[in-house]
């Protein structure tokens, strides 16, 4: 189980949003490459990058910057989301050394495309599933789909996906703790490894996650954390040590 630091990119800066609202962002660094190196130095074993501009534009907007960040991480795996909606984009990121490609909007709108890409690139594609009150949202969390998140994942267990990044939008950036119950329910519905996201605030959240998945350890890849590690309520090394224990 991994504690995965998140770097969200907006206009070339490292920011954090509240509940996915682009007009409610906090800038934490103007040097995302240095920030990536910082989390590597803190012991991160994987890095999560989101191209926020790309998520809203429907295509990458910080590609060059992300390539620099991947290079700076060396042999530490990097997963990227935001605007990944075509095969050429996937191939370009893989060529740049990105190991995990997170497909959200395109996967929800075109499940057949998700299936074809997961089959073409086994172990490299993650489904990015973002939900508000259990209902899937797309287009940078701006559009409600009316699709129940658990219903959507039930038919995906046969795919060679690397996993599912599941974000509870209501908790994201709010420092209110994970929605452990819905994360476990989604993992069991999918029967695929899940990365929990949205609300990781302190060590207690990671402990609660571990306990919830005690009988389903193969279904938990880890947890993404953002605002908490930037504001100091969670230490990356301590969090990873707890998950390792």
């Amino acid at each position: 189980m991994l504690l995965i630091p998140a770097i969200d990119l907006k206009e070339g800066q490292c920011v954090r949003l509240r509940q996915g609202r682009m007009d409610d962002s906090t800038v934490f660094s103007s040097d995302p490459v240095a920030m990536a190196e910082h989390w590597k130095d803190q012991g991160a074993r994987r890095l999560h990058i989101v191209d926020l501009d790309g998520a809203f534009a429907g295509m990458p907007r910080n590609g060059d910057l992300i390539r620099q960040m991947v290079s700076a991480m060396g042999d530490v795996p990097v997963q990227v989301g935001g605007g990944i909606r075509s095969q050429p984009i996937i191939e370009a990121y893989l060529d740049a050394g990105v190991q995990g490609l997170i497909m959200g909007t395109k996967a929800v709108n075109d499940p057949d495309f998700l299936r074809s890409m997961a089959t073409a690139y086994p172990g490299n594609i993650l489904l990015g599933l973002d939900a508000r009150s259990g209902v899937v949202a797309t287009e940078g969390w701006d559009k409600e789909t009316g699709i129940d998140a658990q219903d959507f994942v039930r038919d995906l267990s046969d795919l060679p996906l690397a996993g599912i990044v599941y974000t509870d939008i209501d908790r994201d950036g709010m420092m209110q703790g994970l929605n452990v119950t819905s994360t476990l329910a989604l993992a069991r519905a999918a029967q695929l490894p899940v990365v929990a996201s949205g609300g990781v605030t302190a060590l207690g959240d990671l402990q609660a996650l571990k306990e919830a998945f005690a009988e389903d350890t193969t279904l938990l890849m880890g947890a993404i954390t953002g605002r908490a590690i930037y504001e100091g309520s969670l230490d990356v090394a301590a969090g990873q040590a707890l998950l390792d224990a």
Side-chain angles (χ1 to χ4, degrees):
M1 291 181 284
L2 300 174
L3 181 62
I4 308 172
I7 296 181
D8 290 358
L9 301 175
K10 179 184 178 187
E11 298 173 354
Q13 296 181 309
C14 174
V15 307
R16 296 302 297 170
L17 307 184
R18 294 184 188 275
Q19 298 180 327
R21 297 191 297 268
M22 288 288 273
D23 60 355
D24 191 356
S25 64
T26 303
V27 176
F28 283 101
S29 173
S30 59
D31 189 345
V33 176
M35 186 58 69
E37 293 173 334
H38 171 73
W39 296 131
K40 180 183 178 182
D41 292 342
Q42 293 297 306
R45 299 178 195 167
R46 192 174 183 91
L47 183 68
H48 176 79
I49 301 175
V50 178
D51 183 346
L52 293 173
D53 303 307
F56 282 89
M59 62 181 65
R61 284 288 184 258
N62 291 279
D64 290 341
L65 179 56
I66 290 171
R67 280 188 282 275
Q68 295 174 45
M69 296 166 73
V70 171
S71 178
M73 293 303 289
D75 58 359
V76 176
V78 175
Q79 61 188 43
V80 175
I84 299 174
R85 302 180 190 177
S86 73
Q87 188 167 4
I89 292 172
I90 290 172
E91 291 181 346
Y93 272 133
L94 289 173
D95 288 345
V98 176
Q99 294 196 21
L101 287 304
I102 304 166
M103 292 177 53
T105 295
K106 180 67 174 179
V108 174
N109 293 340
D110 188 354
D112 288 340
F113 182 75
L114 172 65
R115 287 186 169 277
S116 64
M117 292 301 98
T119 302
Y121 309 101
N124 290 124
I125 305 298
L126 297 104
L127 169 64
L129 205 61
D130 310 315
R132 186 179 284 110
S133 300
V135 177
V136 177
T138 57
E139 312 291 345
W141 302 353
D142 202 40
K143 180 181 178 182
E144 297 287 349
T145 65
I147 300 170
D148 181 85
Q150 292 184 41
D151 288 344
F152 183 80
V153 302
R154 291 187 200 279
D155 297 327
L156 303 179
S157 60
D158 63 316
L159 294 182
L161 290 167
I164 299 173
V165 177
Y166 178 61
T167 303
D168 185 317
I169 299 171
D170 295 319
R171 303 289 185 100
D172 190 72
M174 301 305 290
M175 303 286 283
Q176 295 177 350
L178 277 167
N179 188 334
V180 174
T181 301
S182 68
T183 302
L184 178 59
L186 183 107
R188 286 176 170 169
Q191 287 298 298
L192 288 166
V194 168
V195 180
S197 176
V200 175
T201 303
L203 290 176
D205 298 315
L206 300 179
Q207 183 62 38
L209 192 65
K210 277 185 66 175
E211 292 174 359
F213 279 82
E215 297 179 2
D216 301 274
T217 55
T218 60
L219 296 181
L220 181 64
M221 185 186 299
I224 291 169
T225 181
R227 186 174 291 272
I229 55 174
Y230 291 97
E231 295 190 349
S233 68
L234 178 63
D235 178 79
V236 170
Q240 185 59 65
L242 186 152
L243 292 176
D244 287 340

